[in-house]
Amino acid sequence: MIARLDSRAADFTARLAALAPAGEADGPAVQARVGEILAAVEARGDAAVLEYTARFDDLAVDSMAALEVPAERLQVALEGLPAAQRDALAVAAARIRDYHERQLGESWQYTDELGNVLGQQVTSLGRVGVYVPGGKASYPSSVLMNALPAHVAGVEDITMVVPAPGGELSELVLAAAGLAGVSRVYTIGGAQAVAALAYGTETVAAVDKIVGPGNAYVAEAKRQVFGRVGIDMVAGPSEILIICDGGTDPAWIAMDLFSQAEHDENAQALLLSPDAAFLDAVAAAIEELLPQQERREIIAASLARRGALVLTADLDDAVRLSNRIAPEHLELSVADPEALLPSISAAGAIFMGRYSAEALGDYCAGPNHVLPTAGSARFFSPLGVYDFQKRSSIINVSRAGARVLGDVASTLARGESLTAHARSAEYRRDAAPEH
Amino acid sequence: MIARLDSRAADFTARLAALAPAGEADGPAVQARVGEILAAVEARGDAAVLEYTARFDDLAVDSMAALEVPAERLQVALEGLPAAQRDALAVAAARIRDYHERQLGESWQYTDELGNVLGQQVTSLGRVGVYVPGGKASYPSSVLMNALPAHVAGVEDITMVVPAPGGELSELVLAAAGLAGVSRVYTIGGAQAVAALAYGTETVAAVDKIVGPGNAYVAEAKRQVFGRVGIDMVAGPSEILIICDGGTDPAWIAMDLFSQAEHDENAQALLLSPDAAFLDAVAAAIEELLPQQERREIIAASLARRGALVLTADLDDAVRLSNRIAPEHLELSVADPEALLPSISAAGAIFMGRYSAEALGDYCAGPNHVLPTAGSARFFSPLGVYDFQKRSSIINVSRAGARVLGDVASTLARGESLTAHARSAEYRRDAAPEH
């Protein structure tokens, strides 16, 4: 059902490594197919997008205008929701907005002792594209998490794309788009939607950055247009790592593992505890609760393939192991999570204490649920407002500054045999009076 | 010699587009070759690195130990420099450090009205690799600009790689590494050095991120290991765009164009001015000064291939055009640069006023000289301390918070048919007392 490991066993590292996700086998074929789609949309614009949409999404229309959902329609969707859903979405949006406003970067300048003004000008990106998967994996929470940081950053044009197979669209997704400040929606998807956003077409304006999750074709398309536009990180299967001291209700922990495992069979759920009896209790809770879960087949497959209950020497041992894994989600389900926090060197989001279930962070705690996976929390950060702002350096050299900096730059440029650099600096140095 | 364009001419957009850099023709061959090298180093570690180093760099040694330059050697190089060079490097390093310290991100937390603690924990990356090209393009300024932000961020292990063809190493590069806080240097290069940093070998410890410029093989290798480790942006040819009101000495502007053009034949130097007579004067200065330049052949080729003197309707027209191009370097060589600054929507670094030659920023003004190229200033920022820090979200839900958030999360999770998420939230909601 779910592997039982011991961090002190001789074969532990090998057994843990065996739980890593399988590599992608369909690489080259997907690459080539995506390359063709991108080239077709770049060359033929709307016409190519319409053809692919008819073919892949069973949605045949005459013009891109028929695939555009106007902003008013988003408000209609919001007003049409059952009150409980509308209120829940509104609370989530407000909390996410409040948290992300604290991430806003600000421009700064200072004047150095030579009178030079140096600084950094922070501006928002101009136009952003948000990809939202269609069909079953169409998640309103994902719309909020991807679009709200762009809106908070001040991005004036947020274009959302969402495939509508056979014309079917989620009202929850449209409502979330309305709450999140999306400017317009096109019901297109796949690599063709990424291409339309990256290159622009007669109808779709080219964007500066594309964010949001998608299938293998979407991920590959984003990879291929990277550089032409910005993209967010390419996400792998979702993961949770729970460190528990044994004091949390085993049913709560079992359900937290399930909530990760129910995403898909490649999701990973790990529990680390120094308390062997607690691991037994969680194993029993898993046995008992699994049959009641709607998504029990996916959960069982995920736990069997990638899950583990790991006995550790102590909590410090668990933290060391967690730092090596650098999990996307880390729950510190312990009596004193503050004591462990300073030792955590890498994790996408850290859930502190027994009440901080990952599910609360997935929807409405405030922080973003788009997080680095597969160990990339060693160098990536959660999606944030900073991903929708850019910086420009500001350099305003004074006459006095030109004398000093001109001399330094001249010496270094000549050391690199870049003599036009040196002369450009010397012109300013020699024109400046002594100060 | 250099194109003369008019922004109001009917063929302007086409003529400007013709100055874009040529696409890379050697893509697939380089991709395959690099893929082989990466696989060999991943499989065979040091042995593969030693073989490639003997073959490509004409440097045959028995062990990786012979390719390691200890930290003490960096200090020896620094002390052995002529005083003027040593002082110039030290001033540059101090100024770069001072500027970058202002970029340090800080952790923050707040408590919301439900008693939930939310925040963001900022930590430095653990281990960083800095690639430095060898031979003629071995630039000490580049060592400072790539390594110092990592050091300021608090990265504890900075590993530098620099190929030493035939065993030859630049004392200036070693000295700069010493000043910049580099932990150790290996004299290896090419895709094999990138592979050693990304995967680790028996000798080289795997890093979390690789930064620094390199040739087509190095750039492709970084692209291929991206995701396994972080990388900086992939840089294209360097560019300058100068907006001048006609009041700057034409020789200064000519030399600023040269300083960009001398990098290589694909570098781009553009001058925009509403003053036709000034453009004539700069053209004359180019004619006069070019024969005196050591790198006149590269400069002439670059100006002929990609340079232009552009007559604009007025300064606002020049700014609009600059925003469309989103240049790496932008000089506002005008009487009142502050008046133009708010209108600049995208540029890597903005040089304000007649004394702010780009060359001063390249070496010692303080801001980084690693900047987004090819229009990517629309979404990328200069290399900075923020590239060597990562963020983790902090979520500590109170009992009272669990009641409210649990209810919202449950509603939204059920809307997405993720019922294990819903139950995980409900366990916390229902355990929490009314508040």
Side-chain angles (χ1 to χ4, degrees):
Chain A
M1 163 71 84
I2 183 166
R4 293 287 294 263
L5 308 181
D6 184 324
S7 73
R8 286 155 299 182
D11 64 349
F12 173 68
T13 303
R15 291 193 63 191
L16 187 69
L19 302 175
E24 297 155 40
D26 55 1
V30 171
Q31 269 176 35
R33 193 73 197 93
V34 165
E36 286 165 25
I37 295 171
L38 296 183
V41 174
E42 187 175 15
R44 299 192 295 115
D46 284 346
V49 175
L50 288 172
E51 284 168 26
Y52 288 121
T53 302
R55 197 190 317 170
F56 297 140
D57 292 338
D58 190 24
L59 186 58
V61 296
D62 291 334
S63 74
M64 281 296 288
L67 298 178
E68 182 172 346
V69 180
E72 307 83 72
R73 173 73 180 79
L74 309 182
Q75 295 308 319
V76 170
L78 186 59
E79 283 152 27
L81 288 185
Q85 282 192 333
R86 191 174 58 231
D87 291 351
L89 264 187
V91 170
R95 292 189 59 89
I96 295 165
R97 189 182 292 277
D98 182 42
Y99 178 87
H100 284 77
E101 278 170 355
R102 296 163 202 259
Q103 292 179 329
L104 269 166
E106 304 233 337
S107 302
W108 47 265
Q109 288 196 346
Y110 65 100
T111 304
D112 71 12
E113 71 290 354
L114 298 168
N116 304 307
V117 176
L118 302 168
Q120 194 168 270
Q121 173 153 292
V122 180
T123 51
S124 62
L125 272 57
R127 201 179 279 131
V128 163
V130 176
Y131 190 97
V132 176
K136 278 180 301 181
S138 193
Y139 294 144
S141 59
S142 178
V143 174
L144 296 183
M145 294 292 184
N146 280 279
L148 273 172
H151 198 243
V152 169
V155 174
E156 290 190 359
D157 188 314
I158 302 176
T159 298
M160 184 172 118
V161 293
V162 55
E168 215 172 302
L169 259 181
S170 156
E171 291 298 303
L172 271 166
V173 160
L174 293 181
L179 271 173
V182 166
S183 313
R184 80 187 58 74
V185 174
Y186 294 104
T187 55
I188 57 178
Q192 60 274 20
V194 174
L197 292 171
Y199 304 127
T201 69
E202 300 89 323
T203 306
V204 181
V207 303
D208 300 315
K209 186 164 190 164
I210 302 173
V211 300
N215 63 19
Y217 286 85
V218 171
E220 175 60 24
K222 283 167 63 184
R223 218 188 312 256
Q224 289 192 24
V225 300
F226 178 55
R228 173 89 171 224
V229 298
I231 62 168
D232 56 353
M233 50 212 156
V234 175
S238 194
E239 322 137 14
I240 193 170
L241 187 152
I242 303 175
I243 295 177
C244 187
D245 56 11
T248 309
D249 185 329
W252 292 18
I253 297 296
M255 199 57 71
D256 294 355
L257 296 171
F258 289 175
S259 77
Q260 191 58 237
E262 76 172 337
H263 276 296
D264 67 82
E265 298 181 359
N266 284 314
Q268 181 163 54
L270 300 176
L271 168 62
L272 278 54
S273 177
D275 182 339
F278 179 70
L279 294 179
D280 293 340
V282 172
I286 289 175
E287 293 265 1
E288 182 198 331
L289 294 169
L290 183 58
Q292 307 164 21
Q293 305 306 312
E294 287 79 358
R295 296 166 73 88
R296 55 189 166 268
E297 274 141 47
I298 298 172
I299 294 171
S302 159
L303 294 182
R305 187 184 292 191
R306 300 202 57 208
L309 309 181
V310 182
L311 183 67
T312 60
D314 48 33
L315 288 178
D316 288 343
D317 183 34
V319 167
R320 271 194 302 277
L321 183 53
S322 173
N323 285 340
R324 229 162 71 205
I325 292 173
E328 181 189 12
H329 305 97
L330 171 61
E331 282 187 12
L332 300 177
S333 201
V334 298
D336 186 6
E338 293 290 345
L340 298 185
L341 187 60
S343 309
I344 303 298
S345 66
I350 305 170
F351 296 80
M352 315 262 297
R354 311 199 197 280
Y355 286 93
S356 303
E358 188 213 306
L360 304 180
D362 286 343
Y363 290 104
C364 58
N368 211 288
H369 79 193
V370 181
L371 297 167
T373 57
S376 64
R378 290 180 295 118
F379 47 87
F380 281 146
S381 298
L383 189 70
V385 171
Y386 34 81
D387 289 304
F388 300 100
Q389 294 187 309
K390 56 192 160 54
R391 306 167 178 94
S392 300
S393 305
I394 303 290
I395 300 173
N396 193 336
V397 177
S398 67
R399 294 193 75 175
R403 182 154 181 84
V404 175
L405 299 189
D407 208 46
V408 171
S410 163
T411 300
L412 294 176
R414 290 188 181 277
E416 295 182 353
S417 302
L418 292 176
T419 44
H421 282 71
R423 288 198 186 91
S424 166
E426 290 156 11
Y427 278 154
R428 271 70 173 198
R429 175 190 69 187
D430 299 337
E434 298 281 344
H435 67 285
Chain B
M1 162 73 81
I2 182 166
R4 294 287 294 264
L5 308 182
D6 184 323
S7 73
R8 286 156 297 183
D11 65 349
F12 173 68
T13 303
R15 291 193 64 191
L16 187 69
L19 301 175
E24 297 156 40
D26 53 1
V30 170
Q31 268 175 38
R33 192 76 196 91
V34 165
E36 287 166 24
I37 295 171
L38 296 183
V41 174
E42 188 175 15
R44 298 192 294 115
D46 284 346
V49 174
L50 289 171
E51 285 169 26
Y52 289 121
T53 302
R55 195 189 319 170
F56 297 141
D57 291 338
D58 191 24
L59 185 59
V61 296
D62 291 333
S63 76
M64 281 297 288
L67 298 177
E68 182 172 346
V69 181
E72 308 82 70
R73 173 73 180 81
L74 309 181
Q75 296 308 319
V76 171
L78 186 59
E79 283 153 25
L81 289 185
Q85 282 192 333
R86 191 173 58 231
D87 292 350
L89 265 188
V91 170
R95 293 189 59 89
I96 295 165
R97 190 181 292 276
D98 182 41
Y99 178 87
H100 284 77
E101 279 170 355
R102 296 162 201 260
Q103 292 180 328
L104 269 167
E106 306 232 336
S107 302
W108 47 264
Q109 288 195 346
Y110 66 100
T111 303
D112 71 13
E113 70 289 357
L114 298 168
N116 304 307
V117 176
L118 303 167
Q120 193 168 269
Q121 172 154 292
V122 180
T123 50
S124 62
L125 272 57
R127 201 179 277 132
V128 163
V130 176
Y131 190 97
V132 176
K136 277 181 303 183
S138 191
Y139 294 144
S141 59
S142 178
V143 174
L144 296 183
M145 293 292 185
N146 280 280
L148 273 171
H151 197 243
V152 169
V155 174
E156 289 190 0
D157 187 316
I158 303 175
T159 299
M160 185 172 118
V161 294
V162 54
E168 216 171 301
L169 259 181
S170 157
E171 291 297 304
L172 271 166
V173 161
L174 294 181
L179 271 172
V182 167
S183 312
R184 79 187 59 74
V185 175
Y186 294 104
T187 56
I188 58 177
Q192 61 274 20
V194 174
L197 291 170
Y199 304 127
T201 70
E202 300 89 323
T203 307
V204 181
V207 303
D208 300 315
K209 186 164 190 165
I210 303 174
V211 300
N215 63 19
Y217 286 85
V218 172
E220 175 60 24
K222 282 167 63 183
R223 218 188 312 255
Q224 290 191 22
V225 299
F226 178 56
R228 173 89 172 225
V229 298
I231 62 168
D232 56 352
M233 52 212 156
V234 174
S238 194
E239 325 137 11
I240 193 170
L241 187 152
I242 304 175
I243 295 177
C244 187
D245 56 11
T248 309
D249 186 330
W252 292 19
I253 297 297
M255 198 57 70
D256 294 355
L257 296 171
F258 289 176
S259 76
Q260 190 58 237
E262 75 173 336
H263 276 295
D264 67 82
E265 298 181 358
N266 284 314
Q268 181 164 54
L270 300 176
L271 168 62
L272 278 55
S273 177
D275 183 338
F278 179 70
L279 294 179
D280 293 340
V282 172
I286 289 175
E287 292 265 1
E288 184 198 329
L289 294 168
L290 182 58
Q292 307 164 22
Q293 306 305 312
E294 285 80 357
R295 296 166 73 88
R296 57 190 164 268
E297 273 140 47
I298 298 172
I299 295 171
S302 159
L303 294 183
R305 187 184 292 190
R306 299 203 57 209
L309 309 181
V310 182
L311 183 66
T312 60
D314 48 32
L315 288 179
D316 288 343
D317 183 34
V319 166
R320 271 194 302 277
L321 183 52
S322 173
N323 285 340
R324 229 163 70 204
I325 293 173
E328 182 189 11
H329 304 97
L330 171 61
E331 282 187 12
L332 300 178
S333 201
V334 298
D336 186 6
E338 293 290 346
L340 299 185
L341 186 60
S343 309
I344 303 298
S345 65
I350 305 170
F351 297 80
M352 316 261 298
R354 311 197 197 284
Y355 286 93
S356 303
E358 188 213 306
L360 304 180
D362 287 342
Y363 290 104
C364 58
N368 211 287
H369 79 194
V370 180
L371 298 167
T373 57
S376 64
R378 289 180 295 118
F379 47 87
F380 281 146
S381 297
L383 188 70
V385 171
Y386 35 81
D387 290 304
F388 300 100
Q389 293 187 309
K390 56 195 161 51
R391 306 168 179 93
S392 300
S393 305
I394 302 290
I395 300 174
N396 193 336
V397 177
S398 67
R399 294 193 75 173
R403 182 155 180 80
V404 175
L405 300 189
D407 207 46
V408 172
S410 163
T411 301
L412 295 176
R414 291 190 181 276
E416 295 182 353
S417 303
L418 293 176
T419 44
H421 282 71
R423 288 197 185 91
S424 166
E426 290 155 12
Y427 278 154
R428 272 70 175 198
R429 176 191 66 187
D430 300 337
E434 297 282 344
H435 70 282

Short mmCIF file of all heavy atoms in Angstrom, two decimals, chain B residues 17-18 36 144 149 155 161 171 212 224 256 272 278 306 340 354 358 380 389:
data_model
loop_
_atom_site.label_atom_id
_atom_site.label_comp_id
_atom_site.label_asym_id
_atom_site.label_seq_id
_atom_site.Cartn_x
_atom_site.Cartn_y
_atom_site.Cartn_z
N ALA B 17 14.11 46.37 -38.63
CA ALA B 17 14.05 44.92 -38.42
C ALA B 17 15.23 44.22 -39.11
O ALA B 17 15.72 43.19 -38.63
CB ALA B 17 12.73 44.37 -38.94
N ALA B 18 15.68 44.80 -40.23
CA ALA B 18 16.81 44.19 -40.96
C ALA B 18 18.10 44.26 -40.15
O ALA B 18 19.07 43.56 -40.46
CB ALA B 18 16.99 44.87 -42.31
N GLU B 36 25.59 14.81 -25.49
CA GLU B 36 26.56 13.72 -25.27
C GLU B 36 27.52 14.05 -24.14
O GLU B 36 27.83 13.20 -23.30
CB GLU B 36 27.39 13.48 -26.54
CG GLU B 36 26.64 12.80 -27.67
CD GLU B 36 27.42 12.93 -28.99
OE1 GLU B 36 28.67 13.11 -28.95
OE2 GLU B 36 26.77 12.88 -30.04
N LEU B 144 33.60 39.89 -11.20
CA LEU B 144 33.01 40.71 -10.13
C LEU B 144 31.48 40.74 -10.25
O LEU B 144 30.76 40.58 -9.26
CB LEU B 144 33.54 42.15 -10.19
CG LEU B 144 35.05 42.37 -9.96
CD1 LEU B 144 35.36 43.86 -9.99
CD2 LEU B 144 35.49 41.76 -8.63
N PRO B 149 27.24 39.50 -6.43
CA PRO B 149 25.85 39.42 -5.94
C PRO B 149 25.59 38.14 -5.15
O PRO B 149 24.83 38.16 -4.18
CB PRO B 149 25.02 39.45 -7.24
CG PRO B 149 25.90 40.10 -8.24
CD PRO B 149 27.30 39.70 -7.88
N VAL B 155 25.65 33.48 -0.15
CA VAL B 155 25.95 32.13 -0.64
C VAL B 155 27.28 31.68 -0.05
O VAL B 155 28.29 32.39 -0.18
CB VAL B 155 26.01 32.11 -2.18
CG1 VAL B 155 26.45 30.74 -2.69
CG2 VAL B 155 24.66 32.49 -2.77
N VAL B 161 34.43 28.25 -12.46
CA VAL B 161 35.13 27.44 -13.46
C VAL B 161 35.60 28.38 -14.57
O VAL B 161 34.89 29.29 -14.97
CB VAL B 161 34.22 26.34 -14.06
CG1 VAL B 161 33.87 25.31 -13.00
CG2 VAL B 161 32.96 26.90 -14.68
N GLU B 171 45.80 36.46 -14.61
CA GLU B 171 46.00 36.89 -13.22
C GLU B 171 44.90 37.84 -12.79
O GLU B 171 44.46 37.83 -11.65
CB GLU B 171 47.37 37.58 -13.07
CG GLU B 171 48.56 36.64 -13.23
CD GLU B 171 48.61 35.56 -12.15
OE1 GLU B 171 48.60 35.91 -10.96
OE2 GLU B 171 48.62 34.36 -12.52
N GLY B 212 26.79 33.12 -15.53
CA GLY B 212 27.99 33.57 -16.23
C GLY B 212 27.92 33.27 -17.72
O GLY B 212 27.24 32.35 -18.15
N GLN B 224 20.22 23.08 -21.23
CA GLN B 224 19.84 21.67 -21.03
C GLN B 224 19.79 21.26 -19.56
O GLN B 224 19.04 20.36 -19.20
CB GLN B 224 20.77 20.74 -21.83
CG GLN B 224 20.54 20.86 -23.34
CD GLN B 224 21.25 19.76 -24.14
OE1 GLN B 224 21.59 18.70 -23.63
NE2 GLN B 224 21.48 20.03 -25.42
N ASP B 256 30.84 56.19 -27.48
CA ASP B 256 29.90 55.29 -26.79
C ASP B 256 29.37 54.22 -27.75
O ASP B 256 29.23 53.05 -27.37
CB ASP B 256 28.71 56.09 -26.21
CG ASP B 256 29.15 57.04 -25.09
OD1 ASP B 256 30.34 57.00 -24.71
OD2 ASP B 256 28.30 57.81 -24.62
N LEU B 272 19.50 57.66 -31.46
CA LEU B 272 18.23 58.29 -31.83
C LEU B 272 18.30 59.76 -31.46
O LEU B 272 18.59 60.09 -30.30
CB LEU B 272 17.07 57.65 -31.07
CG LEU B 272 16.46 56.34 -31.60
CD1 LEU B 272 17.50 55.26 -31.79
CD2 LEU B 272 15.35 55.87 -30.67
N PHE B 278 22.97 67.14 -35.77
CA PHE B 278 23.75 66.40 -34.78
C PHE B 278 24.10 65.01 -35.31
O PHE B 278 25.23 64.53 -35.14
CB PHE B 278 22.98 66.30 -33.47
CG PHE B 278 23.73 65.53 -32.40
CD1 PHE B 278 24.87 66.07 -31.80
CD2 PHE B 278 23.32 64.26 -32.01
CE1 PHE B 278 25.56 65.37 -30.83
CE2 PHE B 278 24.01 63.55 -31.04
CZ PHE B 278 25.14 64.11 -30.45
N ARG B 306 24.72 46.19 -37.99
CA ARG B 306 23.61 46.33 -37.06
C ARG B 306 23.41 47.75 -36.53
O ARG B 306 22.46 48.01 -35.80
CB ARG B 306 23.78 45.36 -35.88
CG ARG B 306 23.82 43.88 -36.31
CD ARG B 306 23.44 42.95 -35.18
NE ARG B 306 22.13 43.28 -34.65
CZ ARG B 306 21.74 43.09 -33.39
NH1 ARG B 306 22.57 42.54 -32.53
NH2 ARG B 306 20.53 43.43 -32.99
N LEU B 340 12.49 62.42 -18.87
CA LEU B 340 12.17 61.27 -19.74
C LEU B 340 11.96 59.98 -18.94
O LEU B 340 11.24 59.08 -19.37
CB LEU B 340 13.28 61.04 -20.77
CG LEU B 340 13.57 62.18 -21.76
CD1 LEU B 340 14.60 61.74 -22.78
CD2 LEU B 340 12.28 62.62 -22.46
N ARG B 354 24.78 63.42 -19.67
CA ARG B 354 25.91 63.35 -20.61
C ARG B 354 27.14 62.67 -20.03
O ARG B 354 28.01 62.19 -20.75
CB ARG B 354 26.26 64.76 -21.08
CG ARG B 354 25.02 65.55 -21.54
CD ARG B 354 25.38 66.76 -22.38
NE ARG B 354 24.25 67.71 -22.47
CZ ARG B 354 23.17 67.52 -23.25
NH1 ARG B 354 23.06 66.44 -24.00
NH2 ARG B 354 22.20 68.43 -23.27
N GLU B 358 28.07 54.47 -20.86
CA GLU B 358 27.82 53.07 -20.53
C GLU B 358 29.06 52.40 -19.96
O GLU B 358 28.97 51.55 -19.07
CB GLU B 358 27.37 52.30 -21.79
CG GLU B 358 26.92 50.89 -21.47
CD GLU B 358 27.24 49.91 -22.59
OE1 GLU B 358 26.84 50.16 -23.73
OE2 GLU B 358 27.89 48.88 -22.28
N PHE B 380 12.69 40.56 -18.15
CA PHE B 380 13.82 40.18 -17.30
C PHE B 380 14.41 41.42 -16.62
O PHE B 380 14.23 42.54 -17.09
CB PHE B 380 14.94 39.54 -18.13
CG PHE B 380 14.72 38.10 -18.50
CD1 PHE B 380 15.19 37.62 -19.72
CD2 PHE B 380 14.08 37.21 -17.66
CE1 PHE B 380 15.03 36.30 -20.09
CE2 PHE B 380 13.91 35.88 -18.01
CZ PHE B 380 14.39 35.42 -19.23
N GLN B 389 18.90 34.57 -3.93
CA GLN B 389 18.06 34.32 -2.77
C GLN B 389 16.82 33.59 -3.25
O GLN B 389 16.45 33.67 -4.41
CB GLN B 389 17.64 35.65 -2.13
CG GLN B 389 18.78 36.43 -1.52
CD GLN B 389 18.29 37.65 -0.75
OE1 GLN B 389 17.52 38.45 -1.26
NE2 GLN B 389 18.75 37.80 0.49
#
